[in-house]
């Protein structure tokens, strides 16, 4: 059997660019949780109920513009879309530092969601254009690692920035890197392998043949409507929505929960809030490697979400009576919520043909944004209403359990008979 080697340089050239871009997007959506813990609500006269809505408005804008963004990325250009998005979201994020009233803050958070909406589906589409089935879980994980890695260092840096200057200066300083990075993105990125000057003609041909062979045994789908109405797409939309309730409820309000539970300063909160994401990074890398090795995506999604749900229940039952044990369970919950992202998004192009998989990713991710909106809003609201995180922990755990049941019933039966290709020991 003729085994051809795909160009290893794709990993070293593309992955740093992909990782940095998504990291900057995540920085500018996640730092609001630290502003909330640092007193933005007191300074602007925001009530608890309004605070949870403001924190969640980002995801409402994010929800509405996922599919249009994915369609543009498929039909036009990922490169152009991300370039414009970088500039716009950097300015929106920095402008948050200048707000003086609640309506302006609401508009900025909603607008930030709109301009960041296309980033995730566009980047997943971009990866599917450059990496094969046997690589895709690892490649997706390097993209999504921008999430926990960013929150890891952001938790520490934001704590120090707020302590040194204040929440306004934190927004201003952390918004500018996206604008600067837009120039780097435009210079470094090309939409497809055929446009890359750093690949030889033979490497481009080998890569294209590998991509085409993967599609040969996937049942054709005539149009977007047929794809978006399919059983698997509907179920994956629901899975991602319920899963995101846990992820974003946790991410947005973890700093406030820790600060209230342990009565500690904002820098200490930053260090404690960083630990769950360090655990998530380690588990994400392990799970993505195993997913590509065994080619069983579902096996590396629903069991981890089940563990996360159980950990949330355990943390709720312990409460403040055993703070450190309760905190350890939150670390486990965070790691198990983040770890399945690589296998989950690798599954979609394996279920659907290339002509509709990109838009399907956009729809599935838009429902994830809807779940994120509900998680960020309701978790904050329940914490303010009850004076503690117990009810919100139960809410996140029940949502994760529902996502486990649905994911278990997704039919992931499509197989391809592609000629084996190797990439060497990279990104593993």
């Amino acid at each position: 059997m003729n085994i051809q080697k795909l160009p290893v340089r794709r990993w070293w050239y593309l992955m740093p660019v992909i990782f940095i871009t998504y990291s900057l997007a995540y920085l500018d959506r996640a730092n609001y949780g630290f502003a909330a813990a640092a007193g933005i609500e007191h300074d602007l006269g925001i009530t608890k109920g309004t605070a949870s809505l403001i924190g969640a408005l980002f995801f409402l804008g994010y929800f509405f513009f996922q599919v249009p963004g994915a369609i543009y990325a498929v039909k036009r250009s990922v490169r152009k879309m991300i370039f414009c998005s970088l500039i716009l979201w950097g300015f929106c994020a920095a402008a948050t530092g200048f707000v003086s009233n609640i309506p302006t803050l609401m508009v900025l958070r909603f607008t930030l969601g709109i301009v960041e909406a296309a980033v995730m589906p566009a980047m997943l589409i971009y990866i599917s254009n450059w990496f094969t089935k046997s690589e895709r879980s690892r490649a997706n994980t390097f993209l999504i690692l921008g999430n926990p890695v960013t929150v890891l260092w952001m938790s520490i840096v934001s704590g120090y920035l707020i302590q040194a200057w204040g929440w306004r200066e934190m927004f201003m300083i952390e918004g500018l890197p996206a604008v600067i990075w837009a120039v780097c993105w435009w210079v470094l990125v090309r939409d497809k392998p055929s446009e890359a000057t750093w690949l030889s003609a033979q490497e481009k041909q080998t890569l294209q043949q590998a991509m085409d062979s993967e599609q040969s045994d996937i049942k054709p789908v005539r149009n977007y409507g047929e794809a978006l109405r399919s059983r698997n797409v509907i179920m994956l939309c629901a899975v991602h929505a319920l899963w995101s309730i846990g992820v974003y409820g946790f991410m947005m309000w973890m700093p406030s929960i820790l600060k209230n539970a342990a009565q500690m300063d904002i820098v200490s909160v930053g260090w404690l809030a960083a630990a769950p994401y360090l655990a998530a990074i380690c588990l994400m890398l392990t799970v993505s490697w195993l997913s590509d090795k065994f080619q069983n995506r579902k096996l590396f999604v629903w069991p981890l979400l089940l563990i996360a749900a159980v950990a949330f229940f355990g943390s709720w039952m312990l409460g403040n009576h055993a703070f450190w044990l309760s905190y350890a369970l939150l670390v486990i919950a965070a790691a198990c919520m983040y770890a399945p992202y690589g296998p989950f998004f690798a599954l979609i192009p394996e279920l659907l043909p290339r002509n509709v998989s990109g838009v399907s990713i956009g729809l599935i991710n838009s429902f994830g944004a809807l779940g994120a909106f509900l998680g960020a809003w309701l978790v904050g609201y329940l914490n303010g209403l009850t004076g503690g995180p117990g009810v919100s922990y139960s809410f996140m755990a029940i949502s994760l359990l529902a996502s486990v049941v649905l994911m278990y019933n997704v039919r992931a039966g499509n197989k391809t008979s592609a000629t084996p290709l190797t990439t060497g020991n990279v990104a593993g």
Side-chain angles (χ1 to χ4, degrees):
M1 185 177 290
N2 182 31
I3 299 180
Q4 297 172 290
K5 187 173 182 180
L6 296 174
V8 175
R9 74 183 75 179
R10 291 169 303 143
W11 292 93
W12 308 116
Y13 191 96
L14 296 176
M15 277 300 129
V17 177
I18 288 169
F19 174 81
I20 291 170
T21 304
Y22 192 61
S23 293
L24 292 173
Y26 219 82
L27 167 66
D28 290 332
R29 78 181 65 166
N31 56 10
Y32 183 82
F34 272 86
I40 188 174
E41 298 166 13
H42 177 268
D43 293 347
L44 298 181
I46 302 171
T47 64
K48 289 292 183 183
T50 304
S52 62
L53 178 60
I54 292 171
L57 273 174
F58 167 89
F59 301 106
L60 198 57
Y62 202 72
F63 168 72
F64 285 115
F65 288 86
Q66 288 274 310
V67 173
I71 292 173
Y72 183 91
V74 169
K75 293 191 171 182
R76 298 294 181 87
S77 169
V78 172
R79 181 179 177 233
K80 292 177 182 177
M81 170 168 287
I82 299 296
F83 173 73
C84 294
S85 295
L86 277 161
I87 295 172
L88 291 172
W89 93 57
F91 278 123
C92 280
T96 309
F98 295 93
V99 297
S100 58
N101 56 69
I102 296 171
T104 303
L105 180 59
M106 286 181 164
V107 169
L108 278 173
R109 289 298 296 177
F110 184 75
T111 305
L112 185 65
I114 291 173
V115 298
E116 282 194 20
V119 176
M120 181 68 164
M123 295 300 261
L124 289 167
I125 291 164
Y126 187 71
I127 285 172
S128 70
N129 290 336
W130 282 88
F131 295 93
T132 63
K133 177 182 176 181
S134 63
E135 306 168 311
R136 211 165 280 143
S137 181
R138 283 169 292 162
N140 288 346
T141 293
F142 274 92
L143 163 68
I144 300 161
L145 271 174
N147 176 327
V149 169
T150 300
V151 180
L152 174 66
W153 66 259
M154 180 208 73
S155 297
I156 298 167
V157 171
S158 296
Y160 280 109
L161 287 175
I162 289 169
Q163 186 183 56
W165 290 292
W167 61 265
R168 292 184 181 276
E169 288 77 8
M170 178 201 71
F171 280 124
M172 296 175 197
I173 293 169
E174 292 181 352
L176 291 177
V179 180
I180 297 169
W181 181 249
V183 179
C184 301
W185 168 270
W186 186 257
V187 171
L188 295 171
V189 169
R190 296 296 180 268
D191 280 305
K192 298 176 182 177
S194 59
E195 300 171 1
T197 58
W198 45 273
L199 289 176
S200 68
Q202 180 59 48
E203 287 173 328
K204 294 176 185 178
Q205 182 181 4
T206 300
L207 185 55
Q208 190 60 52
Q209 287 175 347
M211 297 295 186
D212 292 342
S213 67
E214 289 181 359
Q215 295 285 309
S216 60
D217 288 342
I218 297 178
K219 182 181 177 181
V221 176
R222 287 173 296 180
N223 51 49
Y224 292 149
E226 183 179 337
L228 301 185
R229 291 191 302 270
S230 70
R231 178 183 185 272
N232 275 341
V233 170
I234 292 170
M235 292 185 71
L236 289 173
C237 285
V239 168
H240 200 209
L242 292 162
W243 176 6
S244 294
I245 287 174
V247 172
Y248 285 90
F250 176 88
M251 182 203 75
M252 288 296 295
W253 301 109
M254 178 71 161
S256 296
I257 290 169
L258 288 176
K259 194 172 190 298
N260 293 333
Q263 295 298 310
M264 58 184 66
D265 64 84
I266 193 68
V267 172
S268 299
V269 168
W271 281 99
L272 276 186
Y277 299 100
L278 180 60
I281 292 163
C282 297
L283 191 57
M284 284 176 79
L285 291 170
T286 303
V287 165
S288 66
W289 181 82
L290 290 171
S291 170
D292 278 344
K293 180 178 176 63
F294 292 102
Q295 289 293 299
N296 188 335
R297 308 304 188 190
K298 284 176 58 178
L299 184 63
F300 296 97
V301 179
W302 70 263
L304 289 162
L305 296 180
L306 178 60
I307 294 170
V310 172
F312 267 129
F313 273 126
S315 185
W316 165 63
M317 293 178 68
L318 289 168
N320 293 340
H321 303 295
F323 173 78
W324 290 107
L325 186 55
S326 176
Y327 171 74
L329 287 172
L330 287 181
V331 173
I332 293 171
C336 291
M337 284 192 298
Y338 279 99
Y341 274 119
F344 179 79
F345 283 110
L347 178 63
I348 301 168
E350 295 169 14
L351 298 176
L352 295 162
R354 187 177 299 158
N355 68 311
V356 295
S357 63
V359 174
S360 299
I361 287 171
L363 183 71
I364 292 164
N365 206 49
S366 73
F367 274 83
L370 185 61
F373 170 77
L374 293 173
W377 174 35
L378 288 175
V379 168
Y381 178 78
L382 291 170
N383 290 343
L385 184 67
T386 62
V391 175
S392 63
Y393 283 6
S394 301
F395 171 57
M396 289 187 280
I398 292 168
S399 298
L400 288 170
L401 284 175
S403 73
V404 168
V405 173
L406 289 169
M407 189 67 207
Y408 184 81
N409 287 285
V410 169
R411 295 171 185 164
N414 285 329
K415 303 289 183 186
T416 60
S417 55
T419 302
L421 294 108
T422 62
T423 57
N425 294 323
V426 293

